[in-house]
Each structure stands twice: as C-alpha cells, then as structure tokens.
C-alpha cells in the first residue's frame, strides 16, 4: 500500500469566534491561541484506488459548507466522493464557520473558504509524496480517564487504535489515531483556541510516532471525562492528554492486512411529524429555565441548561423533520471504517462494530456532516442530548436496523 500525509495550520488570521459552548462570553471574539488548530490529511492508495481522510480541528462541519472543498479534493486527487472522509476532532474551543446552526450569533469571517483553500493546497502535495509502506495496528482499551457521562457504571466504547505505516527503513510515514471521547476538558469560560483533548493526545503521539496522525473520535455522543476531571484548565488538559497518550504507548503494534478500499453507501430518509413531541419539549424547556433561575444550581448544570433552552426553543419551531442519514462503509482488508454524520451514543457505535465480527471495525464519528446527537432509546431522558436530538425515542435504532439489513 502507498500512503502520504501532511498537516496544515488553520489558525484564523483575524477576528474569530469559538464554537461549542453557549454563553455570553462566547458571543465575543476569542482572545488568542493556546495551540494552533490543524487540518491533517492522510491519503492511501492500493490497486489504483485512493481513499483520503481529512481531520479538521473544529467542533462540527456541515456538508453544505464543505461541498466545494470536497469537489476540489476529488478532482485534484482522482477520488470518488464516497472515499473521501472529512471529520472533526469536536473541540469546543476552535473557530466556528464550517457548520450551519452554530451556537454563536457571529461567524469567524471567511473561515470556511480559508480552511478549504488551505486543505486543497495541502492535498496538492500528497500524490508525489506517496510511498510504499507496511501497515501495523495497535489496539488497546482505555479506562480511568473518561467514561459514559451519564454514569460511570454505564457501558461505553473503550476501544482505542493507532494504525501506523512504516516504509522499508522502518520509519513511520503516516498514522491515524482513534479513541472515543468528547474533546472537552477545557471549560466554557476559555477564550483561547485549542484542539483540546483529541489534539492534545495527537500532539504527544506525534512526538512518539514521528509523524502527526489523522485523529478522530467515534461514537462519543455520551462520552466525556467530567467524572475524572480535577479542573477544566490547560494544566488539566496536559494531565489528561499525557495520561491517555501513555495508555496508547503501553500497547504493542502488530501487522495488519490492508487492501484497496471498497465502499458501500447507506442512506436512510428521516421523515416524521415533530408536533407530536411539542408537549414534551415544552415541559423540558420549563425545567431548563428553572435551572437557570436557581441560584443553587452548579455551573455545569447551568451550562447544559443554556444549551437546552436554545435547542428546545428551536425544536418548538419545527413542525416536520426531514433529512437523510448517510453512512459509508469503507472496507480495507482486515479493517472496515464506518462513517457517521453526527454524535452517536457509545452503545450504538458498539452495535455497529458488532455487525462486522470477522473484521476490526472502527467508527468515524462527526464525519461528512453535522446532524446532532443520536441517543439510544434506553438512555432517553438521562441527559440533555435526548432533547436536542433530531430523532424521537427509538428513531436511531430504526436507522441501524435498516443499516444492518442492508449488510
């Protein structure tokens, strides 16, 4: 297999706004840069077929904002769109402007075009940099640093992977990293750009590997490290990033057989009457407003209540919900990647993985579009995610039932 990789800083040059948290501070421009956000590109080629993975350090990105970039990348590299994966690290402290429906009233001026231009320019260097390389996979389980944020006792996907590609000299020439956790150690009062947890671990693994890995999270809609935090500042980010990176470094690489990419696309058309759920939304909206008026409520409770009020208010303006859920299955020999355009609950990602018992399945979340939370029916009502999702109870199970039937 031939591979090449590159990364480019996508730090805005002027005024910017941070996306991910909703509060009065975040309605103001950001004040500086803690660590430069990156776009990391990984191109793989086998038997004349190419697949490109692009990781962007933003909270979320929408298909509508990235269509032009996708088209240019496909034309430049001779790619099928189905074999182009554009995902985010989901930091809540990176510039906005690449998605529809940002929580912030203002957008970072021209940021979508700026990032697109930098990514396409970086991609132009990839074909001539392709080299033969042997893939190796590190598979481990990470505990004690993050969990299901609804309860430490609830199941969550603790699998973590690094795939590295080594040339004939043994040098690592490309890599990818996956662990499943929200990139949200730094709190909502932060006004500095940071790629947060996913980027922090990536930086430490880059030193270890000798190359910046394409970093992505999977089914992480209900995962976080809030039960393990000792703070929400950059000192805590450094502690957690080092701890998770160390867990990776304890494991060993083994050879893995990768083949040319074969892709299948699954589309599920969501269409339902949203007015049937308005009474429930109104009830939850009243509860969220009561939290905001409660002087004894914790900062975390108020933070979530602000988001609930915003999202539930929007849901009460929508009479009918229609949108397509597009998932892609990219099989590459012993490994299969499944992309999902939103924030899946962890057990839903585990269900997808179980559909491929003969292979190592890795879910790429926050990929190709931003369609919000997808909450397991068994967890309905446990967190604010249940009241900001676009699907009613049991809706995502119907999607995955149809997905499994197609397999």
């Amino acid at each position: 297999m031939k591979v090449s990789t590159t990364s480019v800083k996508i730090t805005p040059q002027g005024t910017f706004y941070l996306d991910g948290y909703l509060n009065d501070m975040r309605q103001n421009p950001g004040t500086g840069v803690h660590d430069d956000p990156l776009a990391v590109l990984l191109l793989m080629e086998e038997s004349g077929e190419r697949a490109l993975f692009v990781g962007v350090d933003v909270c979320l990105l929408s298909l509508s904002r990235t269509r032009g970039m996708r088209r240019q990348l496909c034309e430049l590299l001779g790619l099928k769109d189905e074999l182009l994966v554009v995902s985010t690290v989901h930091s809540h402290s990176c510039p906005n402007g690449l998605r529809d429906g940002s929580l912030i009233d203002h957008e970072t001026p021209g940021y979508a075009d700026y990032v697109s231009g930098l990514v396409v320019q970086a991609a132009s260097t990839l074909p001539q940099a392709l080299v033969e390389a042997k893939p190796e996979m590190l598979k481990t389980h990470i505990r004690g640093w993050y969990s299901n944020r609804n309860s430490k006792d609830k199941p969550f996907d603790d699998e973590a992977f690094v795939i590295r590609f080594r040339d004939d000299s043994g040098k690592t020439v490309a890599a990818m990293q996956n662990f499943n956790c929200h990139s949200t150690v730094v709190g909502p009062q932060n006004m500095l750009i940071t790629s947060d947890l996913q980027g922090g671990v990536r930086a430490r693994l880059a030193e270890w590997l000798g190359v910046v890995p394409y970093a992505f999270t999977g089914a992480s809609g209900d995962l976080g490290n809030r039960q393990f935090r000792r703070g929400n500042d950059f000192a805590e980010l450094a502690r957690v990033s080092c701890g998770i990176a160390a867990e990776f470094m304890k494991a060993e690489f083994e050879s893995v057989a990768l083949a040319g990419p074969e892709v299948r696309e699954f589309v599920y058309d969501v269409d339902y009457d949203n007015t049937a759920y308005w009474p429930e939304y109104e009830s939850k909206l009243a509860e969220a407003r009561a939290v905001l008026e409660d002087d004894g409520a914790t900062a975390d409770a108020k933070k979530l209540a602000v988001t609930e009020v915003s999202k539930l208010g929007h849901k009460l303006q929508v009479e009918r919900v229609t949108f397509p859920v597009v998932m892609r299955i990219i099989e590459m020999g012993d490994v299969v990647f499944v992309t999902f355009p939103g924030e899946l609950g962890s057990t839903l990602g585990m269900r997808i993985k179980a559909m491929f018992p003969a292979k190592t399945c890795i879910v790429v979340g926050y990929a190709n579009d931003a369609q919000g939370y997808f909450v397991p029916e068994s967890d309905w009502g446990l967190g604010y995610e249940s009241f900001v999702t676009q699907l009613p109870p049991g809706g995502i199970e119907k999607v995955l039932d149809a997905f499994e039937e197609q397999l």
Side-chain angles (χ1 to χ4, degrees), residues 160-177:
F161 301 90
V162 172
I163 299 176
R164 71 181 180 188
F165 299 85
R166 305 176 79 187
D167 64 15
D168 291 339
S169 70
K171 177 184 177 182
T172 299
V173 293
M176 56 172 56
Q177 118 194 353

Side-chain angles (χ1 to χ4, degrees), residues 102-116:
S102 171
L103 298 175
I104 308 305
D105 293 340
H106 312 281
E107 288 196 351
T108 301
Y111 195 57
D113 289 340
Y114 177 69
V115 172
S116 295

Side-chain angles (χ1 to χ4, degrees), residues 127-187:
Q128 60 265 36
L130 283 165
V131 295
E132 289 284 350
K134 295 180 180 179
E136 297 176 331
M137 175 182 286
L138 174 160
K139 178 179 179 180
T140 189
H141 296 266
I142 295 178
R143 292 260 169 174
W145 294 98
Y146 52 87
S147 64
N148 191 310
R149 62 190 182 193
N150 293 316
S151 171
K152 279 186 179 181
D153 299 325
K154 292 186 71 65
F156 72 98
D157 188 355
D158 66 352
E159 283 191 319
F161 301 90
V162 172
I163 299 176
R164 71 181 180 188
F165 299 85
R166 305 176 79 187
D167 64 15
D168 291 339
S169 70
K171 177 184 177 182
T172 299
V173 293
M176 56 172 56
Q177 118 194 353
N178 164 247
F179 68 97
N180 305 311
C181 184
H182 264 73
S183 189
T184 52
V185 174
V186 178

Side-chain angles (χ1 to χ4, degrees), residues 19-30:
D19 196 12
Y21 294 120
L22 177 60
N23 58 36
D24 290 341
M25 285 185 65
R26 287 294 183 91
Q27 299 296 347
N28 297 313

Side-chain angles (χ1 to χ4, degrees), residues 117-342:
L118 289 173
V119 169
V120 172
Q121 183 180 45
S124 69
T125 68
L126 293 174
Q128 60 265 36
L130 283 165
V131 295
E132 289 284 350
K134 295 180 180 179
E136 297 176 331
M137 175 182 286
L138 174 160
K139 178 179 179 180
T140 189
H141 296 266
I142 295 178
R143 292 260 169 174
W145 294 98
Y146 52 87
S147 64
N148 191 310
R149 62 190 182 193
N150 293 316
S151 171
K152 279 186 179 181
D153 299 325
K154 292 186 71 65
F156 72 98
D157 188 355
D158 66 352
E159 283 191 319
F161 301 90
V162 172
I163 299 176
R164 71 181 180 188
F165 299 85
R166 305 176 79 187
D167 64 15
D168 291 339
S169 70
K171 177 184 177 182
T172 299
V173 293
M176 56 172 56
Q177 118 194 353
N178 164 247
F179 68 97
N180 305 311
C181 184
H182 264 73
S183 189
T184 52
V185 174
V186 178
Q189 304 306 309
N190 170 60
M191 296 298 288
L192 302 178
I193 293 174
T194 175
S195 53
D196 211 309
L197 185 56
Q198 293 287 338
V201 174
R202 179 183 63 198
R204 285 156 179 82
L205 292 186
E207 295 176 0
W208 179 55
L209 294 165
V211 66
V212 179
Y214 159 68
F216 64 98
T217 185
S220 306
D222 50 12
L223 301 190
N225 82 318
R226 67 177 61 159
Q227 291 105 336
F228 299 91
R229 279 184 208 153
R230 301 178 185 174
N232 63 355
D233 56 13
F234 288 107
E236 177 66 359
L237 174 59
R239 185 186 76 86
V240 178
S241 298
C242 287
I244 293 174
E247 293 297 320
F248 276 109
M249 295 177 192
K250 293 175 185 176
E252 295 185 358
F253 286 95
E254 297 181 357
S255 295
V256 62
L258 296 185
E262 297 181 2
V263 62
R264 287 176 282 167
E265 185 172 82
F266 166 78
V267 181
Y268 185 98
D269 291 313
V270 174
D271 186 351
Y272 68 92
D273 178 10
N274 192 47
T275 62
Y277 300 93
W278 280 5
E280 183 178 6
Y281 299 155
E282 289 169 344
S283 174
K284 294 300 177 182
L285 182 58
E287 291 178 11
R289 285 173 172 159
V291 171
L292 293 179
E293 295 171 0
D294 181 3
D295 294 336
T298 66
D300 275 347
K302 285 184 177 289
K303 176 185 73 175
L304 296 177
V306 168
T307 302
E308 285 184 41
V309 168
S310 173
K311 293 295 187 179
L312 288 167
H314 173 71
K315 289 171 76 70
L316 284 166
Q317 299 174 21
V318 179
E319 294 185 355
R320 191 159 201 88
V321 176
T322 59
F323 67 98
V325 176
V326 180
M327 301 168 61
R328 288 170 178 167
I329 305 160
I330 303 175
E331 296 193 56
M332 304 185 71
D334 289 347
V335 179
V336 56
F337 297 95
V338 178
T339 68
F340 193 84

